[in-house]
């Protein structure tokens, strides 16, 4: 089934360790996004990528980095995890540049990350 | 900067009744799109309905409809004949394009509980 795959589903990580959350889509969407979801705060954009080879900062980029080497993959890296990065992380994709402007985002199933 | 406000953190409705979730937004742009997403306990993000700002006619999808008031910057979601499966977190989202960057802004969500 076409869509977005995130891995791992959940992870417990010691503070100070590094971690890469994986995101792969098979819809050939141009744009991809990483959000974190926290209670009472909704979804906040961490980083985004309009096309392969480009990335941009969202609302809460500090402590995170991304890369977009190809169309399908958009990994999110925490170089040195801190407890405040405990959250549920969602990857999403859309294709506004390749199709009509009204394309909604397609979401992965999320990664629950706990930093201890 | 665009903002999206959902002023109702939690709501409940009796099964088969109608409920309206509110959403307001702030933008200086004229061309944009609005979405409602549903997030059930399974954590998936599911698109419920979308609305193009240039269309005056309110979007409808089966039991879901919107009341889009562009001048008031209001985008409420009406759920008719509520079902137990409608129990979920509902997010309002705004999407526009600025300098070729497509960004989605999410509200903080409304938790809806449908009561048997």
């Amino acid at each position: 089934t076409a869509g977005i795959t995130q891995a791992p589903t959940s992870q417990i990580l010691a503070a100070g360790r590094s971690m890469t959350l994986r995101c792969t889509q098979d819809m050939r969407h141009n744009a991809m996004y990483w959000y974190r979801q926290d209670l009472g705060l909704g979804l906040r954009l961490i980083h985004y990528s309009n096309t392969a080879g480009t990335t941009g900062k969202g609302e809460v980029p500090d402590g995170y980095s991304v890369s977009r080497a190809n169309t399908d993959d958009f990994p999110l890296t925490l170089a040195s995890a801190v407890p405040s990065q405990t959250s549920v992380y969602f990857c999403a994709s859309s294709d506004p540049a390749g199709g009509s402007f009204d394309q909604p985002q397609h979401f992965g199933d999320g990664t629950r990350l706990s930093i201890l | 900067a665009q903002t999206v406000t959902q002023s109702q953190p939690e709501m409940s409705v009796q099964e088969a009744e109608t409920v309206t979730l509110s959403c307001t937004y702030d933008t200086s742009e004229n061309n944009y799109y609005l979405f409602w997403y549903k997030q059930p306990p399974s954590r998936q993000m599911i698109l419920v309905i979308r609305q193009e700002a240039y269309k005056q006619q309110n979007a409808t999808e089966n039991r879901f409809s919107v009341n889009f008031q562009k001048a008031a910057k209001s985008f409420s979601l009406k759920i008719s004949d509520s079902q137990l499966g409608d129990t979920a977190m509902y997010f309002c989202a705004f999407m526009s394009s600025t300098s070729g960057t497509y960004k989605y802004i999410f509200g903080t969500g409304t938790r809806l509980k449908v009561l048997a």
Side-chain angles (χ1 to χ4, degrees):
Chain A
T1 303
I4 295 180
T5 302
Q6 287 186 239
T9 302
S10 64
Q11 182 74 43
I12 298 173
L13 187 69
R17 301 295 295 269
S18 66
M19 172 82 188
T20 295
L21 308 186
R22 300 184 298 278
C23 175
T24 300
Q25 53 109 351
D26 60 3
M27 297 173 283
R28 308 300 293 172
H29 283 173
N30 284 317
M32 296 187 75
Y33 312 80
W34 273 106
Y35 295 90
R36 59 178 289 173
Q37 182 179 14
D38 303 289
L39 192 62
L41 297 176
L43 280 82
R44 293 181 292 168
L45 182 66
I46 304 171
H47 285 286
Y48 65 92
S49 169
N50 285 335
T51 61
T54 69
T55 62
K57 293 182 179 181
E59 181 184 356
V60 289
D62 294 343
Y64 306 94
S65 64
V66 292
S67 62
R68 187 86 184 278
N70 56 62
T71 297
D72 299 342
D73 301 300
F74 191 44
L76 176 74
T77 297
L78 289 69
S80 180
V82 295
S84 62
Q85 292 178 308
T86 292
S87 186
V88 178
Y89 290 86
F90 284 95
C91 180
S93 73
S94 68
D95 194 17
S100 58
F101 186 56
D102 69 340
Q103 290 300 309
Q105 291 184 312
H106 297 257
F107 286 84
D109 289 341
T111 294
R112 181 177 296 279
L113 184 62
S114 298
I115 313 297
L116 304 179
Chain B
Q2 293 92 353
T3 59
V4 176
T5 302
Q6 292 180 250
S7 59
Q8 305 151 313
E10 293 185 356
M11 294 188 72
S12 61
V13 62
Q14 288 295 134
E15 196 175 8
E17 297 294 311
T18 296
V19 64
T20 299
L21 309 183
S22 67
C23 173
T24 59
Y25 58 94
D26 188 26
T27 183
S28 58
E29 300 189 26
N30 195 49
N31 188 22
Y32 51 88
Y33 284 77
L34 298 161
F35 305 88
W36 277 99
Y37 284 88
K38 168 185 177 181
Q39 186 182 41
S42 66
R43 205 169 73 191
Q44 287 182 303
M45 290 286 285
I46 302 165
L47 177 68
V48 174
I49 200 166
R50 77 187 78 176
Q51 174 79 42
E52 296 91 331
Y54 64 86
K55 285 188 177 179
Q56 294 197 350
Q57 185 174 6
N58 290 324
T60 62
E61 287 287 342
N62 300 314
R63 298 183 294 108
F64 299 87
S65 61
V66 299
N67 182 6
F68 175 49
Q69 303 289 328
K70 190 172 183 180
K73 296 179 182 173
S74 171
F75 183 59
S76 60
L77 174 69
K78 186 171 82 171
I79 306 174
S80 304
D81 186 25
S82 298
Q83 301 175 0
L84 296 178
D86 295 333
T87 292
M89 194 78 164
Y90 287 81
F91 291 98
C92 178
F94 168 99
M95 190 269 273
S96 68
S97 166
T98 304
S99 302
T101 296
Y102 298 86
K103 285 190 176 178
Y104 297 76
I105 309 296
F106 286 81
T108 53
T110 295
R111 186 175 301 280
L112 176 68
K113 190 170 186 178
V114 179
L115 307 172

